[in-house]
Amino acid sequence: IDRYKSYWTLFDRWLYKLECGCTLNNYFVKKGIKNIAIYGIGMVGKHFINQIEDSVNIIYAIDRRNDNVNMQFPIFTDVNCELKVDAIVVTVSYDYPEIYKKLREKADCHIILIDEVIEEC
C-alpha cells in the first residue's frame, strides 16, 4: 500500500508542477547536470525519461529487471562505474533509503530522488 500511496502523491505533485508551467528540465539546467543515470525504469521512470530526454544525456539506467525494456541507452542491474555521470536519479521513492545506501557504496556522483527534481523544478 505504501508503494502505491507514494506513486499517487508523486504523480499529483508532478501534474501540479506541469500545470503551473514548470518542467523537470529546469532542475537539471539550474544544477548544471548534463549526464545522468536513472535508477528504476518502471512506470515512474518511463514518464520521467519522456519528460527529460531532450535536456540531459541519459548515459545508462539501473533496473533489476532489465530484460523487458527497450531503451536507447544501456540498462544494467547495478551501478556501472566505467560510465561517468553527474548524477543518478532514483525514480523509486518508496524504497529510497535502502537504494541510496546501496548506490552510495559504488557511485561517485550525486544521488537524487525524483521527488527533489519535481519539487525544485
Side-chain angles (χ1 to χ4, degrees), residues 14-29:
W14 194 345
L15 282 171
Y16 176 77
K17 292 286 188 166
L18 289 173
E19 291 165 351
C20 292
C22 297
T23 67
L24 301 183
N25 302 335
N26 295 343
Y27 176 89
F28 298 103
V29 171

Side-chain angles (χ1 to χ4, degrees), residues 26-95:
N26 295 343
Y27 176 89
F28 298 103
V29 171
K30 283 192 281 188
K31 301 282 186 179
I33 296 172
K34 295 180 176 32
N35 299 306
I36 66 167
I38 299 173
Y39 183 100
I41 50 175
M43 177 180 64
V44 175
K46 288 176 187 172
H47 288 290
F48 177 71
I49 290 165
N50 288 333
Q51 292 286 310
I52 55 102
E53 64 186 347
D54 293 334
S55 64
V56 296
N57 299 315
I58 303 170
I59 305 301
Y60 69 95
I62 304 164
D63 195 285
R64 64 180 177 211
R65 298 175 319 183
N66 67 356
D67 58 342
N68 62 353
V69 181
N70 184 16
M71 295 289 171
Q72 300 297 322
F73 44 81
I75 302 167
F76 303 104
T77 56
D78 203 353
V79 173
N80 186 321
C81 295
E82 294 176 13
L83 298 175
K84 299 298 179 194
V85 294
D86 301 321
I88 299 173
V89 179
V90 178
T91 66
V92 185
S93 300
Y94 62 89
D95 203 18

